[in-house]
Amino acid sequence: MYVANIRGRLATWVDGKLADVEQVSGGRFGSSPAAVYRRWDEFRAWGDNVGASGSPAEVPSGLGAPSPAPRQTFGIGLNYRDHVEESGLEVPGFPSTFCKFASCIVGPEDPVEVVGNTSDWEVELVAVIGRAAHNAKADVGWDYVAGLTIGQDLSERTRQLADSPPQFSLGKSFPGYGPTGPWLVTPDELTDPADLPLRCFLDGEKVQESRTSQLIFSVPQLIEALSSIVTLLPGDIIFTGTPGGVGAARSPQRFLRPGQTLVSEIDGIGQLTTTLVGPS
Ligand code: ZN
């Protein structure tokens, strides 16, 4: 299934056509894109029944964040070797975890106001939780994933790194610093959900490229690690980490500017376009 938030209403594609879930289901499921994760198994079974599968023929307008109101939003640092190396740090023994506060989560059509002169890009695979998980094991980790989407873990490096210990959670949670989208794709739609090519383009120039098979901690391993401590809740989102090529690690360093466009893409999912703007 491809599942979207369109102007705040839950939508999917049936026989290639965009369908409003509340209407097509005769009211069995409500219109809320946030609430559906609490009934995810039932929703998936309904989707199979009505033939809700296949990728969208075209990109609709009005797209919002696929999980617009997560109760918990995790970010994983240092989860690709080339990014660990460019950061001059060691591979962590346990996923290096911070939180992107939920108010920073926006959708693909929301312009993002660039804060300061040291804001950076980080294309990431984002996993959305579809079943509560505590002490879940990695071998069944995918069972807890509703689907995958694309995210930008936008990071204001000055606040993030000014102090010791650093302020990852605050430096990555300015308004709009968590764009996600364009929609949610269930793992069964993907040939191999554990090996997805991903890229990031800044004004058309490719600045990051990798595959999710290069993740140090895979999606199921992250679910095992995080759920060994926290109860993961339906609708929660996990930014799984970024590959090498961020602006802060370049020589000279490069950062985001108002007027630029960031395109993040993952094969099999689609493209997330983020428009950067100046102070309003
Ligand atoms: Zn990140």
Side-chain angles (χ1 to χ4, degrees):
M1 284 177 93
Y2 284 67
V3 181
N5 168 359
I6 299 187
R7 293 182 195 87
R9 293 187 65 87
L10 183 65
T12 188
W13 281 263
V14 179
D15 299 327
K17 288 204 193 83
L18 185 61
D20 182 275
V21 169
E22 185 177 36
Q23 288 173 12
V24 175
S25 73
R28 180 172 159 196
F29 296 97
S31 64
S32 166
V36 72
Y37 295 105
R38 301 185 193 209
R39 293 170 65 192
W40 191 254
D41 289 342
E42 190 188 346
F43 179 64
R44 280 298 309 277
W46 169 82
D48 287 345
N49 247 337
V50 300
S53 69
S55 58
E58 53 189 45
V59 179
S61 62
L63 286 166
S67 181
R71 285 173 282 180
Q72 305 179 103
T73 304
F74 303 89
I76 306 300
L78 306 173
N79 206 16
Y80 287 84
R81 270 171 218 287
D82 56 351
H83 181 57
V84 174
E85 283 165 18
E86 73 180 1
S87 304
L89 297 166
E90 302 287 316
V91 172
F94 188 89
S96 175
T97 306
F98 56 91
C99 124
K100 284 179 84 72
F101 292 102
S103 59
C104 80
I105 301 302
V106 294
E109 296 185 15
D110 296 301
V112 176
E113 190 176 313
V114 179
V115 175
N117 296 317
T118 56
S119 287
D120 205 346
W121 57 84
E122 293 193 357
V123 63
E124 305 201 2
L125 176 73
V126 169
V128 181
I129 298 297
R131 261 184 207 169
H134 189 239
N135 290 324
K137 293 299 170 203
D139 59 357
V140 291
W142 282 110
D143 294 352
Y144 297 90
V145 176
L148 300 171
T149 189
I150 308 168
Q152 265 291 336
D153 176 19
L154 296 175
S155 305
E156 201 285 294
R157 301 297 188 198
T158 300
R159 174 47 56 211
Q160 181 190 341
L161 301 169
D163 300 308
S164 181
Q167 295 273 15
F168 273 54
S169 300
L170 289 175
K172 291 165 172 276
S173 292
F174 286 91
Y177 271 41
T180 55
W183 39 58
L184 185 91
V185 181
T186 55
D188 61 290
E189 293 279 2
L190 302 162
T191 311
D192 183 357
D195 183 26
L196 304 171
L198 78 169
R199 296 166 212 95
C200 175
F201 300 86
L202 179 62
D203 281 346
E205 177 193 348
K206 186 161 66 184
V207 289
Q208 289 184 287
E209 180 168 34
S210 189
R211 308 179 70 94
T212 60
S213 52
Q214 298 302 305
L215 283 164
I216 295 168
F217 296 100
S218 66
V219 170
Q221 288 171 325
L222 290 175
I223 292 199
E224 174 169 325
L226 294 173
S227 81
S228 73
I229 298 169
V230 180
T231 300
L232 302 179
L233 302 171
D236 283 359
I237 65 183
I238 304 170
F239 283 73
T240 57
T242 201
V246 301
R250 288 165 185 262
S251 181
Q253 291 186 318
R254 291 175 62 184
F255 296 108
L256 298 170
R257 296 280 174 261
Q260 292 180 320
T261 301
L262 206 48
V263 173
S264 313
E265 69 180 20
I266 301 183
D267 292 356
I269 301 178
Q271 279 192 339
L272 168 69
T273 300
T274 305
T275 303
L276 302 163
V277 300
S280 49

